[in-house]
Structure formats: C-alpha cells, structure tokens
Amino acid sequence: MRFIKYSSSGNDFLIFQSFERDNGGRSSLAKRVCERHNGIGADGMVVLLLGQDSKDSKKYAYEWEFYNADGSKAKMCGNASRSIGHYAFVEGIAPRKHSFLSQAGIIGITIDESDTSLVQSDLGAYKLVEEHIVESNPYGVKSWALLDSGVPHLVGFVNDKKMLTYLKDELLRALREKYNANVNLAYIDESSDRSRILYMTYERGVEDITQACGTGAAAVFAMALRLGLCGKKALLIPPSNEILELQMTENQHILFKGKVQRIAICEWLNSI
C-alpha cells in the first residue's frame, strides 16, 4: 500500500487516494500507520476520494476522509488541507486553484504560482461558540473562548511568551476532555505592531502538543481579531517556528497560507 508523507509547518500526514469510501477498517489502519515506532509515523492519515458523484460534485475536484493518529475521524484539519491540495496538484488530480469537499464543507485551495510549496486554504467562516469562560490555570489566562474553525478550539491569551513552554500536559488534557476541543495558548508579539502571534495547540486525536495546527491558528487569529489584538492580516508562529499567513476576507472567510513539504513515498507492508 502506497502513502505519500507530507508535512505542513511540521504537522505531518500520510496521504493515499481511493475510489471507495471507508468500509470500516480505515480507523484501525490510521492508528497503525501513524504510530511513531511500529508504523510510518504521522499526526494523521488522509484519504483523497475520487469518483464520488453527488449533485454538488461539479463544485469540487475530490472529497476526503481525515483520521487523527489515534484513529478517530475529524471534520477538518487546516494543515492537512494544504497538504492534500498540494498532493492533488502534483498528482495531476486537480489544477493549481481548486476546491475539495471536507466534512466541514467545501475548502478552497490555491497553489502559489511562483513557489508551488506555498499553499493557501480557504477555511471558510468560523463560529464563536462561547466566550468569557473562566478556568483556573497557571498560565495567567483570564478567560477562554470556544470557537469552531472547522473543529472546536479553546483559545486563551497569555501575557508572557514563556508560558507557551511552561506546559502542564495534565491540565491541557483535562481542558481538552472537558470541552471536547483542541486547546490553544497564544501570545501577541507587541514588538511587531501586533502582527505576529505565537501559539501552541494541544490537539485531540493526537493527545499532545503538535508542531503546528492550522485550524488552531485560524481560531487564535479569529479571536485575536475579535478582541482587537491584531488586524485583518497576521503572521502566526507555531512551535515549528514556520510562518503562517492568515487573513480575514470581506465575507469573513479565513485564508491560511504556508509552506508544504512532500517528504517521502512510503510502502506499508503489513496487512490492512
């Protein structure tokens, strides 16, 4: 079985294509191939679905299935959307500018004309679920907000960037479980006219802090903009230190752009 391994800003994925939807075995497969020691290793597995006819199929080039490293399914993953967009372009499945259907809706993809490693996703509009959430924490977060940027995210802002490395996994895990959401801590870099935001995400399904999270970046950006902490364009810096460009459009869609790496062709020899 052939996978292509991708990395989007340090968030890594295993991608393959199929003409068939999941028959019940892909969650188990994802858990096995994403395992770092006895598998290939990745934060998630993505299946590009071809030939799926529907009344709206002319609006998009393909569909996808996304699986977290623990085998659970997710409606959306921002970094994976950039990886699969690049994969579809390189494999000749879709043009430089195209859309695909996720469980969170139609996602627009644009491959940069001068640098094909730069990929932009249109993640659509976010939803504010709840704000002014008070949770005792050692980071100095006065209140949290719960947003849906394709998947749910809890967002809290810190006043000291050292708090992004002062991480208490048991607390982050408890918040993740309580709200069934990814947990984000973010710091506004005042030295850059507030156009740079440092952040980290404890991701459900991975159950750890990842090198980057695209929907997490979108949620942090959306909340920072809502609070007047940044403008309609900002640079977000995840733990991988790769730069992510985010922009809010006039129709309130979040555009998300960054580098994508096509790393390796992997052959899975174990039986499914």
Side-chain angles (χ1 to χ4, degrees), residues 196-214:
R196 285 168 54 95
I197 305 173
L198 283 63
Y199 80 103
M200 52 69 56
T201 308
Y202 185 96
E203 289 199 55
R204 65 178 186 176
V206 179
E207 303 308 325
D208 204 350
I209 297 158
T210 54
Q211 287 296 297
C213 177

Side-chain angles (χ1 to χ4, degrees), residues 200-250:
M200 52 69 56
T201 308
Y202 185 96
E203 289 199 55
R204 65 178 186 176
V206 179
E207 303 308 325
D208 204 350
I209 297 158
T210 54
Q211 287 296 297
C213 177
T215 53
V220 168
F221 168 65
M223 199 61 204
L225 180 59
R226 179 178 175 83
L227 295 174
L229 300 175
C230 73
K232 290 187 175 181
K233 292 183 180 181
L235 303 179
L236 273 83
I237 315 297
S240 67
N241 287 318
E242 294 192 33
I243 296 174
L244 301 170
E245 301 176 31
L246 282 93
Q247 177 181 346
M248 187 70 74
T249 67
E250 292 299 322

Side-chain angles (χ1 to χ4, degrees), residues 1 3 11 30 43 67 74 102 104 120 126 132 159 170-171 173 190 198 212 226 232 249:
M1 188 172 187
F3 291 91
N11 214 184
D43 291 323
Y67 300 83
S102 75
Q120 177 178 278
Y126 77 95
H132 309 304
N159 293 322
E170 63 273 14
L171 173 62
R173 186 178 299 109
E190 298 285 353
L198 283 63
R226 179 178 175 83
K232 290 187 175 181
T249 67

